[in-house]
Amino acid sequence: MKMIKIWKNMSVLQLASAMDKDLDHIFEVMIYVDNSADYDQPWKCIDNIKVIQEIVKKSGMRCTITAEPTIETHNKEIKDAVRRPPAKASDCVPRHPVVTIMGHVDHGKTTLLDSLRHTRVVDGEFGGITQHIGAFEVCLDNGEMITFLDTPGHAAFTAMRSRGAHVTDIVVLVVAADDGVMEQTRESIRLANEAKVPIIVAINKVDKREADIARTKNMLMAQGLVLEEAGGDVQTVAVSALKGTGLQELIETINTQATLLDLKADPKGLVEATVIESRTDPFRGKLSTAIIQRGTLRKGSIVVAGTAWAKVRSMFDDQGKPIQQAPPSTPVEIVGWKDLPSAGDEIFEVETERRAHEVISFRQSLKSKEKLDDDLVVIQQKVEEHLKDYKVKLGEKQRMGRMRYKIRGIRPRATKEISAGPKLSIIIKGDVDGSVEALLDVLDSYQSEKCTLDLIHYGVGPITESDIKLAEPFNAIVYAFNTGVAQPNVRQLAKSHKVQIKDYNIIYRLFDDLRSEMEKLLPPTEAEEIIGEANVLQEFIVTEGRHKLPVAGCRCVKGMLKKVAFFRLIRGEDSIYEGRAASIKHLKNEVDTIKKDVECGIRLDDATLQFRPGDKLVCYEMKEVPQTIDWDPGF
C-alpha cells in the first residue's frame, strides 16, 4: 500500500496532491468521514488529524505523520471563489419556494402580487410598468411563506426577466384572458424552459367581457405547453387579480407544486446567493438585493460578487426593516459593498478580507487576460489583411520591376475622417444596475445613417458634478432615469455650463425624447405637396413671332393651379414632363391662379411637347419638411 506523509492543518488541496488524487475524490470520500463537513473548500485547512487519517485509510492508502514542510505549499493555484460541493441530505432543511411572476406588459402581474400581499405597489409604478425586479417575502393567510419575484414585462427588460427565471423554483406565467399569448409571454416561456423550472399559468382578467379562456389555452398549447387537461403537467388557474377571484386556488397550486419539488437547502457553511438588483443610495451607499440560496448570511460576513466585495454592514428585509440573519430563500438588501455588483452576479462568502481581495484580484486578472485575448484576435485579423494586401502589391512590384512600379492614387490618411453628419452625445444615469443595463440594450439596437448617437458615459446613481463637467465639452444631454441629482448645486452647475438634464421614469418616454432630440439635428428635406390637378381637353397651337407653341386646353378638376408652382404632365402611367409653366391664361387674360372647375390654357416651358386629350397635369409645390429618424426602439 502507498505511504502518504500527512501533517496537521494541511489543506484539502495539499492532501489531494500528496495522495495524487483530484479534489472530487477527496470530497466524495469526506461524505463517509465524520466531522469533515466544515472542510468544504480546497483551501480549507484540516485541523483534525483523525479526519486526514480516515480519508487516507478509506482511499486504500497508509499514512505517517510528519512536520509541515518548511517550503510554503499552500494553495496558490485556485484563487477564485466557487460553489461548494452538494450538501449531504442530512444537512439540508426544508425551505419555502421562490416564485417568479412573469408575462407580458400590462397583463396584471403586479396587480396579482398586490392581491397576494395586500399592498398597493402598482399605484407607485410609473406608467403602470414594473421597471425593476421586486423581491418580496409573503406570509400567506395559511401561514405558508413564499418569496415572490416580480419581473418587468416590458421588452427592454429581457435580461432582468432572464435573471428572474434562473433563481426561481416555480414560474407563474400571467396571461390576460382578453389578449392571450403575446411577445413577452412567448419569451417568458422560453426563459422558464431554459431554466428547467415548472410553470403554473395564471389566466388573468377572467372577469372582463372580452375574456376567452378556451382561446388562451389553445394559444398556450400552440407554444408547446402541455396543459393538465390535455394530459400534461402544466396547471392553469383562472384568476382575477383585480377582484381577488381564484387567488386561493392559485396559492394551493403553488404550495402543491412546491411540495412535489421537496425544496431543501443547507443553512450552514459559507453563503451562496444571487444578486437580483443593485443601486446606489445617496445616504446608505452601494446596495444590492439578493436571494440567499445556501448558508445563512449574517451581519459582518465577507462576501464577493463579480469583481465587487463587501463586509455586510447591515441587512434589511423587503419591508425595509433591519434583520440580523437571512436563511435560504430569503430576499435581503445588503449594505456595505465597496463597489457596485452587477445584477445576476453570484455571491460567495469568504473567510477573510484578505481572501476577498485575493478573489477580486484573480477575477480582474482573468478579465484582463480575456481582453488581451480579444485584442489579439483583432490584431491578428488586421495583420492578415495587411499581409494579403502587401503580397498583392509585392507581386505587382516584382512583375513590373522596382524602377517602373509606382504607388497609384493618393496615400490614405493614417486616421479616418470624422463623420461630418449630425451627432447627439448623451450620458445615461439610472437608479439601479438592471435599469441601466436595459437602457444600454435598447441603445445597442440603434442603427441609422442619418444621425450618430454617441454614448459618452453611463452609470448607476444620482447625477454628480463630474457628469456635468464631462457632458460640457461634448455638448451632451444627461438623461436621469428614476434618479435625481446628488446635490442641489448640481442643477445650478448644469445651468451655468448650459448642460441639459432630462428626468424620466418611464422608459418609452425617455426614448421618445431621445428620438426627438436627434430629429432636431437633422436638416429638413424637400417633399412634394400636390395643390391641384387638371385634365387636358384639347391641344391648341398659338403663334408668337416666328414660333408655333403648343397650348393645353384644360379644366381644373381638383384644388387649384398656380403659375409659380411646378407642373407634371402625365400620360397614362408615365410622367412626360416636370417643370414650370411659361403661361396660364383664362379666356385671353394672363392669370396667376386657376380655381376648381375653371377652364384655362396652359403653356409649359418645353415648346417641343405635344398634348393629347386625356393627359393629366399635376400642379405641386416643393416644401421643406422635418426628417424623422429611421429607428424603432421597439416601444
Side-chain angles (χ1 to χ4, degrees), residues 2-21 26 33 45-70 73:
K2 187 176 180 180
M3 180 67 71
I4 305 299
K5 292 181 179 181
I6 63 170
W7 58 91
K8 191 176 180 180
N9 290 325
M10 71 186 306
S11 70
V12 177
L13 186 63
Q14 288 174 326
L15 178 58
S17 178
M19 294 172 60
D20 197 20
K21 298 287 186 180
I26 303 298
V33 176
C45 294
I46 307 173
D47 53 4
N48 189 339
I49 195 68
K50 291 183 178 179
V51 171
I52 302 175
Q53 291 173 325
E54 195 66 15
I55 293 171
V56 175
K57 182 180 177 181
K58 288 187 179 296
S59 299
M61 302 178 188
R62 294 186 300 162
C63 60
T64 179
I65 300 174
T66 62
E68 184 177 357
T70 54
T73 58

Side-chain angles (χ1 to χ4, degrees), residues 360-419:
I360 299 305
S361 298
F362 177 74
R363 292 180 176 182
Q364 287 175 341
S365 65
L366 282 182
K367 278 192 172 183
S368 299
K369 185 178 182 301
E370 288 175 3
K371 186 177 184 302
L372 287 173
D373 292 341
D374 292 341
D375 291 344
L376 185 62
V377 171
V378 175
I379 292 170
Q380 193 63 37
Q381 290 175 348
K382 294 289 185 183
V383 170
E384 289 176 0
E385 290 174 6
H386 170 74
L387 289 176
K388 186 177 179 181
D389 185 52
Y390 172 74
K391 288 178 181 178
V392 171
K393 291 181 178 179
L394 181 62
E396 185 177 356
K397 184 177 181 180
Q398 291 173 343
R399 180 177 59 82
M400 298 180 66
R402 188 178 65 179
M403 300 303 294
R404 295 170 59 194
Y405 177 78
K406 293 182 180 179
I407 297 175
R408 298 175 181 176
I410 302 172
R411 287 182 181 271
R413 289 179 179 267
T415 58
K416 292 184 178 180
E417 294 280 348
I418 299 174
S419 174

Side-chain angles (χ1 to χ4, degrees), residues 181-241:
V181 174
M182 304 293 282
E183 182 181 350
Q184 273 78 53
T185 313
R186 288 189 287 269
E187 186 183 348
S188 297
I189 293 171
R190 178 183 63 80
L191 294 173
N193 288 333
E194 287 179 359
K196 297 180 180 179
V197 293
I199 298 174
I200 297 173
V201 180
I203 302 177
N204 194 22
K205 303 185 181 181
V206 294
D207 56 309
K208 296 186 73 172
R209 183 178 299 177
E210 302 85 2
D212 190 340
I213 297 176
R215 168 178 167 270
T216 303
K217 288 183 177 180
N218 289 332
M219 294 176 74
L220 289 166
M221 287 190 285
Q223 296 301 315
L225 292 183
V226 185
L227 305 184
E228 202 170 45
E229 53 260 45
D233 56 358
V234 178
Q235 301 178 71
T236 60
V237 183
V239 301
S240 171

Side-chain angles (χ1 to χ4, degrees), residues 6 78 81 84 99 248 255-256 260 287 311 368 440 525 629:
I6 63 170
I78 299 180
R84 291 185 281 156
V99 179
Q248 189 60 39
N255 286 335
T256 302
L260 293 173
L287 315 174
K311 182 174 183 179
S368 299
L440 297 180
T525 58
I629 203 75

Side-chain angles (χ1 to χ4, degrees), residues 530 532-536 552-558 561 566-571 577 600-604 609 611 614-620:
I530 296 176
E533 291 183 8
N535 290 336
V536 177
C554 305
R555 178 184 288 115
C556 181
V557 294
K558 187 184 296 184
L561 309 178
F566 292 92
F567 286 83
R568 180 182 294 115
L569 179 62
I570 297 175
R571 182 170 298 154
Y577 168 81
C600 62
I602 299 177
R603 179 164 62 85
L604 302 177
L609 282 173
F611 299 99
D615 289 351
K616 182 165 68 175
L617 278 169
V618 177
C619 181
Y620 63 94

